[in-house]
Amino acid sequence: MTFASPPRPRPAGRRRRGALAPTLVVLGVLVVLVLVLAQVWTEVLWFDQLGYLQVIGTEWGTRAVLFVLGFGLMAGAVAASLSFGYRSRPVYAPSTPEQANLDQYREAIEPLRRLVMIVGPAVLGLFAGAAASQQWSTVQLWMHGQTVGEKDPQYGIDLGFYLFTLPGIRFVVSFLMAVTILAGIAGLATQYLYGGLRVGGGRGNGPRTTRAARVHLSVIGAVLMLLIAANYWLDRYSILTKAGEKFHGAAFTDVHAVIPSKAILAGIAIFVAVMFVVTAVRGNWRLPAIGVGLMVIAAIAVGGIYPAVVQRFQVQPNQQDREAPYIQRNIDATLAAYGLEDVQTSDYDANVTAEAGALRSDAETTASIRLLDPQVVSPSFKQLQQIRGFYHFPDSLSVDRYEVEGESRDTVIAVRELDLEGLDSAQRNWTNDTTVYTHGFGVVAAYGNTTAGRGAPDFWEGGIPSQGQMGEYEPRIYFSPQAPAYSIVGAPSGNGWEFDYPSDDAQGQQLTRFPTQDVSAGPSIGNPWNKLLYALKFGDEQLVFSNRVTDVSQILYDRNPRDRVAKVAPYLTLDGRVYPAVVEGRVKWIIDGYTTSDQYPYSAGRSLESATRDALTETTETIQALQPKTVNYIRNSVKATVDAYDGSVDLYAWDPSDPVLEAWSEVFPTSLKPLSEISGPLMSHLRYPEDLFKVQRALLTRYHVEDANQFFSGNDFWANPLDPTHPNVNVPQPPYYLTLRMPDQDEARFALMSTFIPGGSGAREVLTGYLAVDAEAGSEAGKPSEDYGKLRLLELPRDSTVPGPGQVNNNFNADPTVSNELNILARGDSQVVRGNLLTLPVGGGLLYVQPVYVQAASGTAFPLLQRVLVAWGTSIGFASTLDGALDQVFGGDSGAEAGDAGTNPDDGATPPAETPGEQPTGTPTESPTDGVPPDAAAARASLDLALQQARQALEDSQAALQTGDFTKYGEAQDRLSRAVQDAIKAEADLEAAGG
């Protein structure tokens, strides 16, 4: 006999749970994990290949720690407040109508209570963690803060406290205040819902709070008051960076009323915190209520009314005298924070009367005056040097200095980049886009101060393969601003399918193979796992199945030099221009990096975006204004280079004394190279950055005034002139790179310049100042030139009559001879393009030079330099060469030869060998028709002849007008019309011939 219970019958309809659901969950988790890895692990591979793995490790590690701490503090505090409020609830809720109404809410929430108490804090914690992780740079700077060695003028504290420590402390206090407030709201709601706190009812119904609720809410209130006190106390220091009506920093009222009031309010907040503690012990809510009321009244009276009274009755009647010491603090701090302390200012009584031989002492500057406008001649580079449609030149080229045949020459240079948009639609497929067309080819360089025949750029390096005076260098451009999103390079030995350049052999092309066996330019994509991750990253399954993705393949992406530097140096603000240079046989992209802060006491704040916007950033896609953030401290602390062939990034500590850079050097100790590692050839191509100069010139419109009383009156404030060559763009004229000699210099130097005019909407546009900075870093390895970065400011007399750029432009347009010839040049299917208006301090005065280009109004249009405008005071010259225009202005002899002396745009021949614009033998521009198919040669010749006839007719027309012979003028106009028609026909024939 057995007493075992019979087995229970299995309920009908109950089935064993299958494996499908868990399998789907596991698969879903795996898919999500792989998708995340496709973004995360590929970034690790990218940084590791570049050698900057520590950067992403430090950033992600700091973000992760801050996320965990932020999540834990917020979620833990809110969860603890909810839990304590629930666990300390009274066993029996007070029997009041109010509590009876709450019963239904308690019953409704009870089934979800556990979920709410977990999910609610977790959601808040996620938001808090994400917000905290965004402050990783603030925390890292706090942890690695430096001493500056300078003290603030108010408290005598080292400036490092403001730059590094104060932002970190304020972040912590603000975050804890948010945690406390949300925890308090959670506790208050829980106590009210479960009866620990009641609002209605009289004294006869018992106390309004339970003891546990009183302790709970009092402790939170005390913590919040302490944090408010800390915030008030920190405000005393932050006020040194506030923006005032006339200047930045603490003014008289701030120092004598606001700062003391912040200390008083901090003391009151501490007193109220004590009252909350007393309430937690004794149970009397009147004390903290009185304290809170007292704090509100004090905030209104002490924090608001008292400063207003001081401002109204002490400051305003004597504002200039009261504010003068604090304005002086602002001036001194601003000059220090923006690197303007050592500006060399001198008076310059510019001569406006043109005299023969005036430029004799400035022969070097005159010979170097740049005629090629890098913002205008890009179409000429494209037509004469692009070679194929899938090559690209930027719409704004770069100006640099190169040693050509033993002479330093200003050069307009561009890289022949790859642009897949230039391929025919029939050529566009995955194989071509990704594995065949992978790189651009070579650089093109032209003299800046002269032209070749017919006004075309005088190239001293160009063609494919590259020829000229540059010497041997690696011409393949795998990394550039216009490079494709990604390319697959590398192939087994002996195979090569990458298009290198067009050639005249039987195949019509040269192929190459990137040597991935020896050179690393991107992460390896040779194994199946990496193929899968990158296929997911780029949404392209071809990466997995293509036979051209082999075990030696590498994937190149993030190829824009700016993007590469921004990723490996996330603490830098990058200059708006990225420019190329050929250095030691490699093409290098050079980018200037800035360290910035908005916490420098008393320094003037400026929006980087508004300070760096000009006509150039508004009319080109190549140059960008800086990001829209306000700073009051900036240093050009880093020079970065990106190799155009292998994409390697080098960061050089250009300003090792910068305390912000010192802090970041401790955060990322392996990412920066010392200044001593900059080679001499690289040093020769480093230059003073444009955006820093723009910010400094914007500050100098006010801060050239260093006397506090004069600054207060504002009668000598300046402005940067608008660009007259872009009348529809209401922004300042950009600064220009050129070679010039300032009055105190012994020789001409490569410089960056800008001008100033009087400030105010109704002011006349005459020059008030001229600013130039020595932009040439020298050529000594590891040691910049002593004069590099030296700012020189010429101040013109207050009654100056030297016309500003706008007046000069108006004088050009109003001159009958100039206006008439410009109208003639623009007749028919032609268009006149005015180049940059340069200003040079030469001959004891200020010389304006503007190149004038002519191009077709439609069809194949590219500008050719045809005339040069020159102005000195009210004297104007207008000729086919700069040399001729200068002679016109200076009584037939300027005293110096310009770079285009001996040339003639109307002549198709190249300049004579003895002129400064000598064309090197064998370069691709020996004739502007190089590269034109033979069947287009006749059309090109016809076009050239027609243009020469048109120019001759223009000159004859001008001569006839000057002598008043209208018969000859009419004949010349008839010849001009026929020549224009012939040119139009020849141009159409040329287009039809593919030329």
Side-chain angles (χ1 to χ4, degrees):
M1 177 181 292
T2 177
F3 295 95
S5 300
R8 293 182 180 180
R10 179 169 300 184
R14 183 176 180 181
R15 299 179 181 177
R16 179 178 297 175
R17 181 175 296 175
L20 179 60
T23 301
L24 291 177
V25 170
V26 171
L27 288 176
V29 170
L30 289 176
V31 169
V32 171
L33 182 62
V34 171
L35 291 175
V36 171
L37 285 175
Q39 302 302 323
V40 174
W41 186 247
T42 53
E43 285 295 280
V44 172
L45 293 175
W46 188 90
F47 277 89
D48 185 45
Q49 183 273 326
L50 271 181
Y52 288 89
L53 189 58
Q54 184 211 18
V55 172
I56 195 172
T58 300
E59 179 180 346
W60 285 4
T62 307
R63 286 179 178 271
V65 170
L66 289 176
F67 180 86
V68 171
L69 290 176
F71 178 88
L73 281 173
M74 179 63 78
V78 174
S81 185
L82 288 172
S83 177
F84 184 83
Y86 178 76
R87 288 187 292 104
S88 64
R89 70 192 184 282
V91 178
Y92 300 103
S95 180
T96 64
E98 176 190 7
Q99 289 297 321
N101 291 332
L102 290 174
D103 285 342
Q104 56 183 328
Y105 296 106
R106 285 193 290 269
E107 292 175 0
I109 203 173
E110 185 60 29
L112 302 174
R113 176 178 54 80
R114 290 182 180 275
L115 182 63
V116 169
M117 287 189 172
I118 295 174
V119 174
V123 171
L124 292 175
L126 289 174
F127 284 107
S133 69
Q134 297 296 318
Q135 298 297 320
W136 74 274
S137 58
T138 301
V139 172
Q140 283 288 2
L141 286 177
W142 183 15
M143 293 169 58
H144 299 89
Q146 307 290 308
T147 56
V148 177
E150 298 288 338
K151 296 182 178 181
D152 79 88
Q154 180 61 34
Y155 301 106
I157 301 174
D158 188 90
L159 298 183
F161 168 77
Y162 298 91
L163 295 176
F164 308 113
T165 306
L166 183 59
I169 296 176
R170 298 224 66 153
F171 158 64
V172 171
V173 170
S174 299
F175 186 83
L176 292 178
M177 284 182 66
V179 170
T180 304
I181 290 171
L182 290 175
I185 292 173
L188 186 67
T190 306
Q191 293 289 358
Y192 177 68
L193 182 64
Y194 288 98
L197 168 69
R198 62 186 178 87
V199 177
R203 288 182 174 273
N205 294 326
R208 295 180 183 274
T209 58
T210 63
R211 183 177 181 278
R214 186 180 70 244
V215 171
H216 183 191
L217 299 178
S218 295
V219 169
I220 293 177
V223 172
L224 181 60
M225 287 299 106
L226 290 175
L227 292 170
I228 291 175
N231 201 52
Y232 276 133
W233 191 258
L234 295 175
D235 284 344
R236 298 169 64 254
Y237 303 103
S238 296
I239 202 169
L240 300 191
T241 59
K242 86 177 191 74
E245 183 179 348
K246 285 186 172 293
F247 62 95
H248 287 69
F252 181 92
T253 301
D254 298 316
V255 171
H256 294 86
V258 176
I259 289 178
S261 72
K262 296 291 185 181
I264 293 171
L265 290 172
I268 294 174
I270 293 174
F271 172 76
V272 176
V274 173
M275 293 300 99
F276 272 107
V277 174
V278 171
T279 295
V281 176
R282 299 184 57 183
N284 189 344
W285 284 102
R286 289 185 177 181
L287 291 178
I290 293 172
V292 171
L294 175 63
M295 189 171 69
V296 172
I297 294 172
I300 296 173
V302 180
I305 297 176
Y306 175 59
V309 170
V310 171
Q311 179 71 22
R312 178 68 178 86
F313 295 102
Q314 289 192 44
V315 176
Q316 289 185 3
N318 311 283
Q319 191 168 5
Q320 183 168 335
D321 295 334
R322 295 290 192 186
E323 302 288 29
Y326 307 101
I327 292 176
Q328 195 61 53
R329 291 180 178 183
N330 169 245
I331 293 173
D332 295 340
T334 300
L335 296 179
Y338 290 94
L340 297 171
E341 289 178 299
D342 299 322
V343 176
Q344 181 177 310
T345 303
S346 57
D347 295 331
Y348 190 68
D349 190 3
N351 181 19
V352 294
T353 303
E355 299 177 355
L359 304 184
R360 185 165 289 110
S361 61
D362 290 291
E364 187 179 1
T365 298
T366 305
S368 300
I369 295 176
R370 180 168 49 78
L371 296 176
L372 286 193
D373 183 348
Q375 279 69 60
V376 171
V377 299
S378 177
S380 297
F381 272 57
K382 292 177 181 178
Q383 287 299 318
L384 302 176
Q385 288 290 332
Q386 185 169 321
I387 310 299
R388 291 291 186 270
F390 48 79
Y391 290 131
H392 170 84
F393 290 114
D395 56 1
S396 177
L397 310 183
S398 298
V399 178
D400 204 347
R401 297 277 284 177
Y402 280 87
E403 194 83 13
V404 183
E405 297 185 343
E407 182 183 359
S408 181
R409 301 292 298 270
D410 282 11
T411 295
V412 177
I413 187 170
V415 168
R416 192 182 287 107
E417 303 178 57
L418 175 67
D419 181 12
L420 293 179
E421 296 299 322
L423 290 171
D424 293 335
S425 57
Q427 297 173 279
R428 298 299 302 273
N429 52 65
W430 186 88
T431 300
N432 279 347
D433 288 0
T434 309
T435 68
V436 175
Y437 294 99
T438 59
H439 59 276
F441 201 95
V443 300
V444 177
Y447 295 114
N449 64 340
T450 188
T451 60
R454 295 186 295 276
D458 189 1
F459 298 105
W460 59 268
E461 182 74 23
I464 295 183
S466 192
Q467 304 172 39
Q469 305 298 318
M470 190 72 77
E472 294 294 327
Y473 70 96
E474 173 54 64
R476 294 165 185 84
I477 310 297
Y478 283 91
F479 295 86
S480 66
Q482 287 291 326
Y486 74 93
S487 293
I488 305 298
V489 299
S493 298
N495 294 330
W497 46 67
E498 296 179 49
F499 179 86
D500 207 18
Y501 58 86
S503 69
D504 294 328
D505 61 17
Q507 294 181 344
Q509 62 181 1
Q510 287 290 328
L511 301 178
T512 189
R513 173 182 61 87
F514 190 88
T516 53
Q517 294 87 342
D518 303 314
V519 180
S520 176
S524 171
I525 197 173
N527 60 73
W529 174 244
N530 285 3
K531 288 182 182 180
L532 174 62
L533 292 183
Y534 280 107
L536 293 173
K537 180 181 180 68
F538 293 107
D540 197 337
E541 72 282 357
Q542 301 283 3
L543 290 170
V544 176
F545 301 108
S546 175
N547 292 330
R548 290 201 171 182
V549 183
T550 69
D551 57 353
V552 296
S553 294
Q554 295 175 5
I555 184 168
L556 313 184
Y557 61 99
D558 287 336
R559 302 164 73 177
N560 188 319
R562 174 190 297 278
D563 296 340
R564 295 178 78 79
V565 175
K567 289 181 69 172
V568 302
Y571 51 90
L572 292 178
T573 298
L574 300 182
D575 192 86
R577 181 188 288 273
V578 178
Y579 64 97
V582 178
V583 179
E584 298 175 296
R586 301 293 278 266
V587 178
K588 300 279 189 178
W589 297 97
I590 301 175
I591 308 105
D592 286 282
Y594 307 111
T595 46
T596 62
S597 175
D598 59 357
Q599 296 296 315
Y600 198 99
Y602 274 101
S603 177
R606 281 294 181 273
S607 166
L608 293 181
E609 182 184 36
S610 61
T612 56
R613 287 180 66 240
D614 58 22
L616 184 55
T617 63
E618 295 299 295
T619 57
T620 178
E621 297 179 357
T622 304
I623 316 301
Q624 306 170 12
L626 292 183
Q627 55 188 278
K629 71 175 182 178
T630 299
V631 305
N632 64 6
Y633 172 90
I634 186 170
R635 289 288 186 272
N636 176 211
S637 53
V638 173
K639 300 285 188 181
T641 65
V642 177
D643 193 295
Y645 182 65
D646 63 20
S648 57
V649 179
D650 291 319
L651 306 174
Y652 297 97
W654 183 251
D655 187 359
S657 64
D658 172 30
V660 180
L661 183 65
E662 289 181 22
W664 284 117
S665 297
E666 293 187 5
V667 178
F668 304 117
T670 63
S671 64
L672 286 168
K673 293 184 176 182
L675 178 63
S676 59
E677 292 192 20
I678 298 180
S679 67
L682 175 59
M683 186 73 75
S684 67
H685 293 289
L686 300 181
R687 65 192 192 190
Y688 201 81
E690 286 174 85
D691 283 337
L692 176 60
F693 186 75
K694 291 179 188 178
V695 173
Q696 289 174 324
R697 74 170 183 176
L699 268 297
L700 283 174
T701 58
R702 287 173 168 258
Y703 289 91
H704 70 279
V705 179
E706 298 186 29
D707 178 75
N709 291 322
Q710 188 179 1
F711 189 96
F712 180 86
S713 67
N715 65 81
D716 194 29
F717 287 167
W718 298 342
N720 298 124
L722 302 181
D723 192 342
T725 61
H726 296 91
N728 298 325
V729 181
N730 192 31
V731 289
Q733 187 181 36
Y736 298 117
Y737 286 105
L738 49 95
T739 296
L740 58 84
R741 183 180 70 87
M742 293 292 278
D744 66 321
Q745 291 180 291
D746 296 330
E747 60 181 4
R749 301 274 292 176
F750 191 57
L752 187 60
M753 54 72 54
S754 185
T755 57
F756 299 97
I757 59 174
S761 57
R764 63 192 184 118
E765 192 179 292
V766 294
L767 279 193
T768 57
Y770 184 94
L771 179 67
V773 62
D774 195 320
E776 196 169 348
S779 58
E780 185 176 350
K783 186 178 180 181
S785 167
E786 290 184 0
D787 286 336
Y788 170 83
K790 188 174 185 61
L791 289 154
R792 294 177 171 88
L793 177 62
L794 304 180
E795 290 192 357
L796 278 69
R798 301 297 184 269
D799 59 350
S800 168
T801 59
V802 177
Q807 279 194 12
V808 169
N809 186 70
N810 179 76
N811 293 343
F812 285 156
N813 292 334
D815 185 271
T817 302
V818 173
S819 177
N820 181 68
E821 186 159 351
L822 289 177
N823 289 334
I824 293 173
L825 289 172
R827 289 188 60 178
D829 192 28
S830 297
Q831 179 182 359
V832 173
V833 179
R834 304 266 284 272
N836 44 209
L837 183 58
L838 304 179
T839 312
L840 300 100
V842 292
L846 286 160
L847 178 72
Y848 286 93
V849 177
Q850 184 176 42
V852 178
Y853 300 85
V854 177
Q855 67 181 22
S858 59
T860 304
F862 59 98
L864 298 174
L865 181 65
Q866 297 303 306
R867 297 290 184 271
V868 181
L869 282 162
V870 170
W872 176 282
T874 57
S875 300
I876 293 175
F878 187 49
S880 58
T881 63
L882 171 60
D883 197 64
L886 290 174
D887 286 342
Q888 287 181 11
V889 169
F890 294 102
D893 179 18
S894 67
E897 284 192 351
D900 63 350
T903 66
N904 185 358
D906 297 332
D907 183 7
T910 57
E914 67 272 15
T915 66
E918 180 179 354
Q919 177 64 38
T921 303
T923 63
T925 57
E926 220 164 22
S927 169
T929 59
D930 281 1
V932 179
D935 56 356
R940 169 66 71 185
S942 298
L943 178 59
D944 292 343
L945 177 62
L947 291 175
Q948 292 177 21
Q949 292 172 343
R951 293 188 189 99
Q952 185 62 50
L954 285 172
E955 292 179 359
D956 293 344
S957 297
Q958 184 179 4
L961 281 176
Q962 291 175 348
T963 59
D965 190 340
F966 292 97
T967 301
K968 290 185 178 180
Y969 176 78
E971 294 174 356
Q973 287 294 294
D974 291 337
R975 286 189 285 114
L976 175 62
S977 297
R978 289 194 298 271
V980 168
Q981 294 299 321
D982 292 341
I984 294 173
K985 182 179 183 301
E987 187 177 33
D989 295 339
L990 185 63
E991 288 184 33

